[in-house]
Amino acid sequence: MKLSELSLSALHELYDTLSHKYEQFRAQMLNLDLTRGKPASEQLDLSNELDGILGGFYLLQDGTDVRNYGGIPGIPEARALGGVFLGLPANEVMVGGNSSLTWMYQYIEFMLRQSWQQQAGTSKVKFLCPVPGYDRHFTICEHFGIEMINVDTSEQGPDMGQVESLLESDPMIKGIWCVPKYSNPTGVTYSDEVVRRMATLANKAGPDFKIMWDNAYAVHHINDEHDTLANLMDIARENSTQDSIVMLASTSKVTFAGAGISFIGMAQNNLASFEAFLSVSQIGPDKVNQLRHVRFLVDSEGVRKQMEKHKAIIRPKFQLTEQILSQHLGDKDIATWTRPNGGYFVSLDTQPGIAGKVVEMAAAVGVKLTPAGATFPYGNDPADRNIRIAPTYPPVSQLRQALEVFVVCLQLTTLHKIIGNLEDTETKP
Amino acid sequence: MKLSELSLSALHELYDTLSHKYEQFRAQMLNLDLTRGKPASEQLDLSNELDGILGGFYLLQDGTDVRNYGGIPGIPEARALGGVFLGLPANEVMVGGNSSLTWMYQYIEFMLRQSWQQQAGTSKVKFLCPVPGYDRHFTICEHFGIEMINVDTSEQGPDMGQVESLLESDPMIKGIWCVPKYSNPTGVTYSDEVVRRMATLANKAGPDFKIMWDNAYAVHHINDEHDTLANLMDIARENSTQDSIVMLASTSKVTFAGAGISFIGMAQNNLASFEAFLSVSQIGPDKVNQLRHVRFLVDSEGVRKQMEKHKAIIRPKFQLTEQILSQHLGDKDIATWTRPNGGYFVSLDTQPGIAGKVVEMAAAVGVKLTPAGATFPYGNDPADRNIRIAPTYPPVSQLRQALEVFVVCLQLTTLHKIIGNLEDTETKP
């Protein structure tokens, strides 16, 4: 039954019942965490074979000894593997350390130094940020003083009308952050139409406009029904806009989150100038770990099999999340949330103005949620309504407990708001 | 016999003999490389045990799962190991990826953004560079537009009189590059007096003046007789100048050159602000590889034993280098060179003005040497006389061949100069 259909006394009664439950949670001294999209231990166990997989063989087919210095672009075999993730040929891929975030930071720094800063002069470089989005993208912009502009997102992806008209009105907009598949946090996969319009943005904005295509969840399915994403680079090539494309992926949620390898892809000429920039700060990546990954994952079929195993572990957690949210919130018309086919998150929207309070209430009884606002630039959710739930890391029993706390906090906060509104109305003349 | 004591005709005769030899080398189509300080395959073999050493155990004593995300400072066990290299307690050390060069780049970027750039305004930040030195230090400065000032080096280390008076005259000098032990390329270890004076520089220059103490060869002995280096941080603490100290080291020439771990050390308050800076560009280092290194090297005694094994492999190469240089150049008074107790290089000074030509001649018959000038800022050796020889990488037979080419090229170039001078003098009225 919708809360809005309850009488004031029924609302008070429900509030008291839930308050009692909340105080019981407090007594349990919980210490639970739904904040970050981390793989669970059982997922990490899937890759334990990595350590020792080389069996003493460190030479590549081309004679390179992976133990020694050098080779900034990464080993050819790993570049080919990166191509599987990015949908690119090996010679358009470089392979780095354990974090695609580092690639992104370095690439933004590179572009600032190489062209954006001169073009901007004393004004600011700007970036488009589809929201809600990934907090660490926004932190990079903030660090470099790049001004961020919110762009609305629908189930098709970013609102391309907004994107195109913003670009027309402001030449200092130099890029856009995209998580095009199973997006963080909404789980949305960009439609073919959105990808097609993305691919042609540079026709107006020029090749210095960069689409940061962070395909972090390229192969990370939860359900048997998979989303499919059009190949941005293929379409860009048809439109001669390939210079605006920067593609990213990693094995962080495929093998070891903290000891994987990462991929960056772009047209060969752009890759070459980026490599020259990188040569100042490094001799080359950890090629031994790259070879481990090649031996372990092998090819697209190896990646597919590995991700099936992950799916078997995380799907029950997403199912449980859906079950608890439906059971407690389903008919009350107080929140909407996503049911993604892949990725690592459920994105929930509360009634406006209360997300921050929900997160605070949960924290007060030992359940950590991602800070409200974190999914928006500058940590500022204008409607204060988005909450990102990350169900993969905790064991099922802890996930259940944390979600049960969460739904109580969400209901209490919503009730508090509804009751307050009703009483305000009643006391008015 | 000194070349200067030979008659013109004897010089011509020697020149012809050596020219004949040189042409024989050309016919051999050699492809030899003495450019970079890379470990040889046998040295890399010493650490093959690293891959697989974890045997499926990924948990630390404090419960951390090294396979997962996080922990920018590195794992406690590896921080303690880093302390062995840097002479610091574990809580003043952070542990990173496979390259201390990346630490240096990031630290310079950090200081530029945090303070140097504001202080400099429209003028330039400057750095002192003891010469000859490490080319990659200089490249970082050049990349960031930091002006470099040469400082002479003696067998005691940098000329501290020069350093102190330069600092007094220019407040925009914000740092100095040091390789304090078995220096690259001279093999010099800084004397206690030099270290003491380094430690007190910040008394005048202030805590924003940073001593980049790149202790790359801290444990890398060649001979049984070891150099010893005073602990800069200990002395700095006695003088309350610890904020100016940044210490660096890595396992690049201890385990795998391309897949080791790196250390940066400084006072805890400085480490904390640097960590905050790093958190924008990374989630955390590869902790799995850090744990491998802890299991493999264990402690200072483990490091000592490992370095004994390296010594057994590289000492014969340094002995051979000394033998060939002495045999062909020893009594001719045409070059001086170093006989280091550790490190990776022999530094040779030719007569002024010919180093570049020697390197060119060697390259023309297939022997690559580090480009002349590379050991100086902007690639410019004002006297054009320093040549860095890196004997570790090639097998002994190739090293011998490369050095035999080198001494012929050096003698030919020197003879050409001497003969030219003599003939000039003779033809003058």
Side-chain angles (χ1 to χ4, degrees):
Chain A
M1 180 168 202
K2 292 184 183 177
L3 291 192
S4 55
E5 292 167 1
L6 290 183
S7 68
L8 187 56
S9 67
L11 289 168
H12 272 294
E13 198 177 320
L14 182 55
Y15 190 87
D16 291 345
T17 311
L18 290 166
S19 290
H20 183 68
K21 259 183 142 172
Y22 182 74
E23 290 310 318
Q24 284 175 326
F25 289 137
R26 190 193 298 281
Q28 290 174 41
M29 311 281 281
L30 302 172
N31 183 11
L32 304 169
D33 194 329
L34 294 184
T35 55
R36 292 226 81 99
K38 287 166 74 169
S41 300
E42 307 94 285
Q43 290 179 266
L44 298 169
D45 287 343
L46 298 174
S47 305
N48 279 355
E49 208 187 301
L50 270 176
D51 185 55
I53 200 169
L54 297 178
F57 294 97
Y58 295 99
L59 291 184
L60 302 184
Q61 286 206 318
D62 68 5
T64 302
D65 186 331
V66 293
R67 302 169 301 178
N68 223 323
Y69 288 116
I72 287 178
I75 66 174
E77 293 85 342
R79 298 174 77 184
L81 182 64
V84 169
F85 286 79
L86 299 177
L88 293 176
N91 62 12
E92 294 189 335
V93 178
M94 289 205 291
V95 188
N98 69 343
S99 175
S100 59
L101 184 72
T102 303
W103 282 131
M104 297 177 218
Y105 180 95
Q106 290 169 325
Y107 195 77
I108 297 292
E109 188 190 359
F110 164 68
M111 283 306 301
L112 279 167
R113 298 179 67 89
Q114 150 146 320
S115 88
W116 292 344
Q117 241 152 20
Q118 287 104 294
Q119 286 181 44
T122 54
S123 64
K124 275 198 170 182
V125 175
K126 295 173 192 164
F127 244 71
L128 300 179
C129 301
V131 289
Y134 179 37
D135 55 348
R136 287 185 179 271
H137 291 162
F138 307 149
T139 308
I140 290 175
C141 279
E142 213 170 340
H143 174 82
F144 285 117
I146 295 174
E147 190 178 315
M148 292 175 273
I149 301 170
N150 292 2
V151 170
D152 295 327
T153 312
S154 75
E155 289 191 9
Q156 310 298 308
D159 180 331
M160 293 308 293
Q162 262 184 52
V163 168
E164 287 156 357
S165 74
L166 281 164
L167 274 178
E168 266 171 38
S169 71
D170 192 339
M172 283 325 302
I173 296 174
K174 290 300 177 193
I176 181 169
W177 289 112
C178 299
V179 183
K181 193 166 178 186
Y182 303 138
S183 190
N184 175 354
T186 60
V188 160
T189 296
Y190 293 8
S191 69
D192 290 355
E193 166 69 5
V194 164
V195 177
R196 192 189 58 70
R197 287 167 78 175
M198 279 285 174
T200 54
L201 288 179
N203 276 336
K204 286 175 193 158
D208 272 3
F209 174 80
K210 299 293 179 184
I211 299 172
M212 300 296 288
W213 199 249
D214 182 2
N215 210 346
Y217 308 101
V219 293
H220 303 60
H221 314 294
I222 299 168
N223 297 326
D224 290 335
E225 186 190 345
H226 297 178
D227 293 0
T228 54
L229 176 71
N231 188 317
L232 177 70
M233 186 62 101
D234 288 350
I235 306 171
R237 261 190 266 268
E238 287 162 17
N239 290 275
S240 303
T241 53
Q242 65 272 19
D243 285 337
S244 71
I245 313 296
V246 181
M247 301 177 118
L248 297 139
S250 79
T251 68
S252 294
K253 293 176 178 96
V254 177
T255 59
F256 291 161
I261 60 177
S262 58
F263 311 111
I264 189 166
M266 59 191 98
Q268 270 193 290
N269 51 320
N270 298 320
L271 211 58
S273 27
F274 186 45
E275 182 186 338
F277 171 82
L278 293 172
S279 71
V280 179
S281 62
Q282 56 190 268
I283 319 274
D286 181 338
K287 299 185 296 298
V288 174
N289 205 34
Q290 294 187 5
L291 187 56
R292 282 191 195 101
H293 277 76
V294 168
R295 294 270 161 80
F296 182 64
L297 293 172
V298 185
D299 56 15
S300 63
E301 181 55 18
V303 173
R304 195 192 61 74
K305 282 186 189 158
Q306 174 80 350
M307 297 318 290
E308 283 292 319
K309 296 178 192 164
H310 280 284
K311 190 165 80 173
I313 296 170
I314 67 173
R315 184 161 49 180
K317 296 182 178 180
F318 278 89
Q319 285 171 334
L320 178 66
T321 305
E322 170 58 24
Q323 181 200 317
I324 294 177
L325 295 180
S326 297
Q327 181 188 333
H328 293 275
L329 311 173
D331 56 351
K332 294 186 180 134
D333 197 28
I334 60 175
T336 57
W337 63 90
T338 58
R339 292 161 189 86
N341 282 329
Y344 261 62
F345 302 104
V346 169
S347 177
L348 181 142
D349 280 334
T350 66
Q351 292 192 2
I354 63 169
K357 278 182 206 140
V358 174
V359 172
E360 265 175 44
M361 274 197 86
V365 293
V367 175
K368 266 190 235 159
L369 294 161
T370 306
T375 53
F376 286 74
Y378 310 107
N380 176 27
D381 174 0
D384 188 19
R385 67 185 308 176
N386 187 249
I387 294 176
R388 186 183 81 168
I389 299 169
T392 55
Y393 183 61
V396 168
S397 63
Q398 288 181 21
L399 174 63
R400 179 190 302 277
Q401 209 167 20
L403 286 168
E404 279 170 355
V405 171
F406 171 68
V407 293
V408 166
C409 296
L410 173 56
Q411 290 176 90
L412 277 171
T413 314
T414 312
L415 280 167
H416 184 80
K417 187 185 168 191
I418 295 176
I419 292 170
N421 285 348
L422 281 178
E423 290 180 344
D424 273 5
T425 314
E426 283 186 7
T427 56
K428 273 181 193 154
Chain B
M1 179 166 204
K2 293 184 182 178
L3 292 192
S4 55
E5 292 167 1
L6 291 183
S7 68
L8 187 54
S9 67
L11 288 169
H12 272 293
E13 196 179 321
L14 181 55
Y15 189 87
D16 292 344
T17 311
L18 290 167
S19 290
H20 182 68
K21 260 185 142 171
Y22 182 74
E23 291 309 319
Q24 284 176 327
F25 290 137
R26 190 194 298 280
Q28 290 174 42
M29 312 280 282
L30 301 172
N31 183 11
L32 304 168
D33 194 329
L34 293 183
T35 56
R36 291 226 81 98
K38 287 167 74 168
S41 300
E42 309 93 286
Q43 290 179 266
L44 298 169
D45 287 344
L46 297 173
S47 304
N48 279 355
E49 207 186 301
L50 270 175
D51 185 55
I53 200 169
L54 297 178
F57 293 97
Y58 294 99
L59 291 184
L60 302 184
Q61 286 206 319
D62 68 5
T64 302
D65 186 330
V66 293
R67 301 169 301 179
N68 223 323
Y69 287 117
I72 288 179
I75 66 173
E77 292 84 343
R79 298 174 75 183
L81 182 65
V84 169
F85 286 80
L86 298 177
L88 292 176
N91 62 12
E92 293 188 335
V93 179
M94 289 205 293
V95 188
N98 70 342
S99 175
S100 60
L101 183 73
T102 304
W103 281 131
M104 297 177 218
Y105 179 95
Q106 289 169 324
Y107 194 77
I108 297 293
E109 187 189 0
F110 164 68
M111 283 306 300
L112 278 167
R113 297 178 67 89
Q114 149 145 321
S115 87
W116 292 344
Q117 241 151 19
Q118 287 103 297
Q119 286 181 45
T122 54
S123 64
K124 277 197 167 183
V125 175
K126 295 173 193 167
F127 244 70
L128 300 179
C129 300
V131 290
Y134 178 38
D135 54 349
R136 286 184 179 271
H137 290 163
F138 307 149
T139 308
I140 290 175
C141 280
E142 214 170 340
H143 173 81
F144 285 117
I146 295 174
E147 189 178 316
M148 291 177 273
I149 302 169
N150 292 2
V151 169
D152 295 328
T153 311
S154 76
E155 288 191 10
Q156 311 298 308
D159 180 331
M160 293 308 291
Q162 261 185 49
V163 168
E164 287 155 356
S165 75
L166 282 163
L167 274 178
E168 266 170 38
S169 70
D170 192 340
M172 283 326 302
I173 297 174
K174 291 300 177 192
I176 182 170
W177 289 112
C178 298
V179 183
K181 192 166 179 185
Y182 303 138
S183 190
N184 176 355
T186 61
V188 160
T189 297
Y190 293 8
S191 71
D192 290 356
E193 167 70 5
V194 164
V195 177
R196 193 188 58 70
R197 286 169 78 174
M198 280 285 175
T200 54
L201 288 179
N203 277 336
K204 285 176 192 156
D208 272 2
F209 175 81
K210 300 294 179 184
I211 300 172
M212 299 295 288
W213 200 248
D214 182 2
N215 210 345
Y217 308 101
V219 294
H220 304 59
H221 313 294
I222 301 168
N223 297 326
D224 290 336
E225 186 189 344
H226 297 178
D227 293 359
T228 55
L229 176 70
N231 188 316
L232 177 70
M233 186 61 102
D234 287 350
I235 307 171
R237 261 191 266 269
E238 286 162 17
N239 291 276
S240 304
T241 53
Q242 65 272 20
D243 285 337
S244 69
I245 313 296
V246 181
M247 300 177 120
L248 297 137
S250 79
T251 67
S252 294
K253 292 175 178 101
V254 178
T255 59
F256 291 161
I261 60 177
S262 58
F263 311 110
I264 189 165
M266 58 191 99
Q268 269 193 293
N269 50 322
N270 298 321
L271 211 58
S273 28
F274 185 47
E275 183 186 338
F277 171 83
L278 293 172
S279 70
V280 178
S281 62
Q282 54 189 268
I283 318 274
D286 181 339
K287 299 186 295 299
V288 173
N289 205 34
Q290 294 187 5
L291 187 57
R292 282 191 195 102
H293 277 77
V294 168
R295 294 269 162 81
F296 182 65
L297 292 173
V298 185
D299 56 15
S300 63
E301 181 55 17
V303 172
R304 194 191 62 72
K305 282 186 189 157
Q306 174 79 351
M307 297 317 290
E308 283 293 320
K309 295 178 193 165
H310 281 284
K311 191 165 81 172
I313 296 169
I314 67 174
R315 184 160 49 182
K317 296 182 177 179
F318 279 88
Q319 286 171 336
L320 177 66
T321 306
E322 169 59 25
Q323 181 201 316
I324 294 177
L325 295 180
S326 297
Q327 180 190 331
H328 294 276
L329 312 173
D331 56 349
K332 294 184 180 137
D333 197 27
I334 59 173
T336 57
W337 62 91
T338 57
R339 292 160 189 85
N341 283 328
Y344 261 62
F345 303 103
V346 169
S347 177
L348 180 141
D349 280 335
T350 67
Q351 292 192 2
I354 62 167
K357 279 182 207 141
V358 175
V359 172
E360 266 175 43
M361 275 196 86
V365 293
V367 175
K368 266 190 238 160
L369 294 160
T370 307
T375 53
F376 285 75
Y378 309 106
N380 176 26
D381 174 0
D384 187 19
R385 66 186 307 178
N386 187 250
I387 294 175
R388 186 182 82 166
I389 298 170
T392 56
Y393 184 62
V396 168
S397 63
Q398 288 181 21
L399 174 64
R400 179 190 303 278
Q401 209 168 19
L403 287 167
E404 278 170 357
V405 171
F406 170 70
V407 293
V408 167
C409 296
L410 174 57
Q411 289 176 90
L412 277 172
T413 314
T414 311
L415 279 166
H416 184 80
K417 186 184 168 189
I418 294 176
I419 292 169
N421 285 348
L422 281 177
E423 291 180 344
D424 273 5
T425 314
E426 281 185 9
T427 56
K428 274 183 192 152

